[in-house]
Amino acid sequence: MANKLDAAAVLSLCVVLAFTLAGQSAAAGRYYGDKVQDTVRKEVEKAIAYDRSIGPALVRLVFHDCWINGCDGSVLLDKTPTDGTNTEKKAVINIGLAGFQLIDTIKQQLGPNASCADIVAFAGRDAADILSGGKIFYTIPGGRKDGVVSSAKVADANLPESTFDFDQLQNNFNARGFSVEELVVLSGAHSIGVAHLSSYQDRLGRADSTPIDPDYQAALNKTTPLSLLQKGQNPTVPNNVRDETAAFQTDAAYDPVAMGVSPEKIVLDNSYYHNNLVNKVLFESDWVLRTDGDAADKLEEYKENATEWHSDFAAAMVKLSSLPAQGKNFEIRKNCRVTNKQYYY
Ligand code: HEM
């Protein structure tokens, strides 16, 4: 009897291992035959294998870099001649931005062979590939140049806020040539990563103005009550209820499998659309996509058709990663955190 049980346990372990390895190998080991891209790839694979949470940070970094002055590595700067130390990183909107040390590590290996802006774009691309199990993959050229300005004020004024209503989101995306469809497709990035309490505090007490599922809201209030902010604490929770603990999911009446969502955590997939359509998304800016007819149709479409979302997300990331750098002085920085010169004319 004991032997039979042991054999069954070994067999199920093998099955679990085989599935795990299959999932990992779908995206692992994708190389490009190009020194810059291969170096980025190797380091991103290593970093995600060590700590998967670096992956969402890298995807977000592409958005926050390219949305401000185009893709110019401005988000990485600690100091510039015109902005001093009040750079984009210091913007309130950039709370939680991460991945800077990994970008430094990659830059140290590549030296003048790659701009910091290219490293950000390639690292985000590889993170999306790995976190989607190889389902989101796109090619993008190199050749981006690094900018020499980076202003916290400009970032705060131009990146979308989690309290935006639909018109504000639409205007913000249109200003950079992105459609409502692309807004909906890119918002699916919130299937991964985390958010600070300060970023979703408006969702904890105002259920009437921005509908949020009451069980999900109660679970959030239980784990991260608003009172923590008054005590000077600002904890994080997963953006995706799928990535919450089992206890949280019980409180939130969320059963991923019953919802048709894969329970595997920190996976970039279309679970965001399943969750949004039952009001179990964190930000007001996520939920408000339901208030526009075209956007709501797209939410349904991406919920039903994961393959379509994977390919539309990849296409939108290509467009995002290609936003041209703006300004008059460009260079390939020696160190991603500072400009090469002290003055530019
Ligand atoms: C549509 C407008 C958007 C708004 C209002 C928004 C807002 C936010 C906020 C408030 C956070 C949490 C920050 C914190 O508290 O730490 C966040 C996290 C994140 N966002 Fe967005 N976002 C938007 C679009 C996007 C886009 C276009 C992408 C990428 C394509 C993206 C990717 C992410 C990722 C991956 C995270 C998690 C980062 C991490 O865990 O390190 N977001 N977003």
Side-chain angles (χ1 to χ4, degrees), residues 53-60 63-64 93 95-98 160-164 169 173 183 186-187 189-190 192-199 236 239 283 285-286 313 317 320:
S53 75
I54 186 83
L58 295 173
V59 174
R60 186 175 180 223
F63 178 47
H64 285 229
I93 198 100
I95 184 171
L97 220 56
E161 290 175 31
S162 60
T163 51
F164 271 12
L169 286 175
F173 271 62
L183 163 65
L186 285 173
S187 295
H190 291 162
I192 49 170
V194 297
H196 288 80
L197 172 55
S198 57
S199 298
T236 58
N239 284 338
F283 307 129
S285 58
D286 294 321
F313 186 80
M317 286 301 286
L320 181 62

Side-chain angles (χ1 to χ4, degrees), residues 60-240:
R60 186 175 180 223
L61 214 48
V62 178
F63 178 47
H64 285 229
D65 186 32
C66 296
W67 221 238
I68 307 298
N69 300 331
C71 306
D72 65 346
S74 55
V75 76
L76 307 172
L77 287 163
D78 286 343
K79 196 176 165 207
T80 81
T82 43
D83 311 286
T85 55
N86 210 14
T87 55
E88 288 172 28
K89 278 179 179 174
K90 298 270 175 72
V92 177
I93 198 100
N94 277 333
I95 184 171
L97 220 56
F100 302 113
Q101 281 170 352
L102 177 61
I103 303 288
D104 288 342
T105 304
I106 297 170
K107 177 66 178 172
Q108 274 155 20
Q109 293 186 35
L110 289 171
N113 292 315
S115 66
C116 301
D118 273 352
I119 295 173
V120 168
F122 289 140
R125 179 266 302 270
D126 289 331
D129 182 24
I130 295 164
L131 294 188
S132 67
K135 293 189 175 123
I136 295 171
F137 179 68
Y138 50 93
T139 53
I140 38 171
R144 291 165 199 77
K145 289 278 170 58
D146 297 326
V148 301
V149 294
S150 175
S151 154
K153 216 168 129 190
V154 172
D156 271 328
N158 287 284
L159 278 159
E161 290 175 31
S162 60
T163 51
F164 271 12
D165 64 23
F166 181 79
D167 287 346
Q168 288 172 307
L169 286 175
Q170 185 177 19
N171 292 339
N172 183 278
F173 271 62
N174 281 349
R176 280 156 188 79
F178 282 67
S179 64
V180 165
E181 181 177 334
E182 287 162 331
L183 163 65
V184 176
V185 82
L186 285 173
S187 295
H190 291 162
S191 64
I192 49 170
V194 297
H196 288 80
L197 172 55
S198 57
S199 298
Y200 60 88
Q201 57 178 308
D202 60 310
R203 303 273 282 157
L204 296 185
R206 289 176 22 215
D208 50 343
S209 56
T210 68
I212 178 170
D213 174 84
D215 293 321
Y216 179 46
Q217 188 188 48
L220 287 169
N221 269 313
K222 187 171 159 189
T223 50
T224 58
L226 273 174
S227 57
L228 292 179
L229 288 175
Q230 274 107 56
K231 290 183 196 150
Q233 295 172 33
N234 196 3
T236 58
V237 299
N239 284 338
N240 191 335

Side-chain angles (χ1 to χ4, degrees), residues 170-324:
Q170 185 177 19
N171 292 339
N172 183 278
F173 271 62
N174 281 349
R176 280 156 188 79
F178 282 67
S179 64
V180 165
E181 181 177 334
E182 287 162 331
L183 163 65
V184 176
V185 82
L186 285 173
S187 295
H190 291 162
S191 64
I192 49 170
V194 297
H196 288 80
L197 172 55
S198 57
S199 298
Y200 60 88
Q201 57 178 308
D202 60 310
R203 303 273 282 157
L204 296 185
R206 289 176 22 215
D208 50 343
S209 56
T210 68
I212 178 170
D213 174 84
D215 293 321
Y216 179 46
Q217 188 188 48
L220 287 169
N221 269 313
K222 187 171 159 189
T223 50
T224 58
L226 273 174
S227 57
L228 292 179
L229 288 175
Q230 274 107 56
K231 290 183 196 150
Q233 295 172 33
N234 196 3
T236 58
V237 299
N239 284 338
N240 191 335
V241 57
R242 175 208 58 198
D243 293 348
E244 285 283 5
T245 61
F248 183 104
Q249 289 181 352
T250 303
D251 286 345
Y254 183 79
D255 177 350
V257 177
M259 290 268 301
V261 163
S262 161
E264 204 187 332
K265 297 196 191 301
I266 323 187
V267 172
L268 183 57
D269 65 8
N270 72 335
S271 53
Y272 170 86
Y273 302 96
H274 288 260
N275 298 343
N276 205 338
L277 289 163
V278 295
N279 294 342
K280 288 185 182 176
V281 277
L282 203 52
F283 307 129
E284 177 167 354
S285 58
D286 294 321
W287 180 80
V288 291
L289 300 179
R290 296 193 64 183
T291 62
D292 174 79
D294 292 341
D297 286 349
K298 276 304 199 192
L299 292 176
E300 283 284 355
E301 209 172 299
Y302 290 137
K303 176 195 160 197
E304 296 303 330
N305 193 337
T307 311
E308 186 193 351
W309 179 70
H310 291 134
S311 70
D312 286 0
F313 186 80
M317 286 301 286
V318 169
K319 184 168 169 181
L320 181 62
S321 311
S322 312
L323 282 173

